[in-house]
Amino acid sequence: MSSTAPMRVASAQGDYTVEQYDDVDSLVDSLAAIPNAFFIVDELVADLYASSFQRLANRPMHRMPATEAEKTLHGIERGLLALQAAGGNKRTTVVGIGGGIVQDVSTLVAHLWYRGVDFVYVPTTLLAMADSCIGAKSAVNLGSFKNQIGTFQSPKRVLACDRFISTLTDEAVMSGYGEIVKLAIVESPEAVATVRADIERDGMRSNHVGKHVRMSLETKRRVIEIDEYEVGLRKTLNFGHTFGHALESTVDNEVPHGLAVVWGVDVAGYVASRLGQFDQSTYADLHEFLHRAFHMHVTRPYTALELVNAMRRDKKAVAGEVALILPHRIGELAIVPTPIDATLTGFIADYLATQDLFAA
Ligand SMILES: NC(=O)c1ccc[n+]([C@@H]2O[C@H](COP(=O)([O-])OP(=O)(O)OC[C@H]3O[C@@H](n4cnc5c(N)ncnc54)[C@H](O)[C@@H]3O)[C@@H](O)[C@H]2O)c1
């Protein structure tokens, strides 16, 4: 294990720890010591780290593709059938190894098997290490609707290792940084300044990443320990998500989740500044950073009308209104009930015409 002390997260379902490992082999040694483990592994990760996972060769394992099509009831059923075929019982511990997709599917497999068995998670993407690995939320897609069904189920342990980042694509690293920057904005101007200075000086593949992951988890832990079941404060962690989910669904998931979130953060900043709720020069400064740090070429076109229609279908929209998370200051976000109307459509159209982070 690493010299960094494990982080303890308080949960109504039982406290759990995030343990940091210096290398993948010692992390896999810890996994090998878990009795009655059933492994659900991202098939790409299993291949990339085959020599490390050799230690688990005789243990029951279900390999799954990390696709949104597999993050469904079908993907869960395949995992459960593999667990059944492997002779799983009430003492089984389900161990998920992969990014957010494997996390969501394997959490629900653990939740449903015999009405719930222990779950251990190994995040292998930056997004999962810095954000989704704590907080106990899991959801899968139903029909054409993303993340529509799910549960709160906290893990017993999270085992993490920065080394997994080395095999991620640049786009996947940028996606992880989308959530890191979102959490820095939730935290404070100082947190944003630190992450911004590190990225602008050394890029996103630097030895600062461990520090950024830690900062992000500390912010998320602070929020979920107050409001684990998202009754109030935790909603602010959905900053950027309403616009981001609309983009993801409009371009059929061509944009990775964390990049969609940071795009949504920029749109939310723009809308808040147009509403007079967020200082214009603070927004302009934030936008300049986001524009330099995050970019991608989106091949599918998207219009304000399509985005707004997608927002109407969002699970958080009720009676033509959506609770937007808007910045009032860096480190101070507000939940603002907002009609999905011509005014909002106009703001989004203006954003696309003048500010779009992903414009060519
Ligand atoms: N449950 C939550 O709290 C939560 C939070 C945020 C996002 N999510 C969900 O997570 C999903 C996105 O997850 P993600 O961005 O972590 O990634 P992912 O699981 O979608 O994986 C992205 C790609 O990276 C590959 N990959 C994973 N680890 C790798 C590694 N170490 N090296 C090389 N390639 C690797 C995967 O095979 C896949 O091709 C979305 O479905 C989103 O809705 C869930």
Side-chain angles (χ1 to χ4, degrees), residues 43-98:
E43 60 187 12
L44 179 61
V45 174
D47 289 344
L48 286 170
Y49 295 89
S51 64
S52 298
F53 287 128
Q54 196 53 37
R55 290 164 169 75
L56 305 175
N58 300 321
R59 310 295 293 275
M61 185 176 288
H62 171 62
R63 292 162 53 104
M64 62 169 278
T67 59
E68 291 292 337
E70 192 69 10
K71 204 181 94 153
T72 54
L73 288 171
H74 292 298
I76 293 171
E77 187 179 20
R78 270 189 275 276
L80 286 167
L81 286 170
L83 174 52
Q84 188 182 59
N89 56 41
K90 284 188 173 183
R91 283 180 299 171
T92 295
T93 292
V94 174
V95 181
I97 307 174

Side-chain angles (χ1 to χ4, degrees), residues 42 44-45 48-49 66 68 71 99-101 103-104 124-125 127-128 131-132 137-138 146-147 164 167-168 257:
D42 178 329
L44 179 61
V45 174
L48 286 170
Y49 295 89
E68 291 292 337
K71 204 181 94 153
I101 286 181
Q103 179 187 351
D104 282 336
T124 64
T125 61
L127 181 139
D131 179 56
S132 67
K137 271 212 238 177
S138 68
K146 199 169 145 66
N147 291 344
F164 282 115
T167 49
L168 291 175
H257 182 70

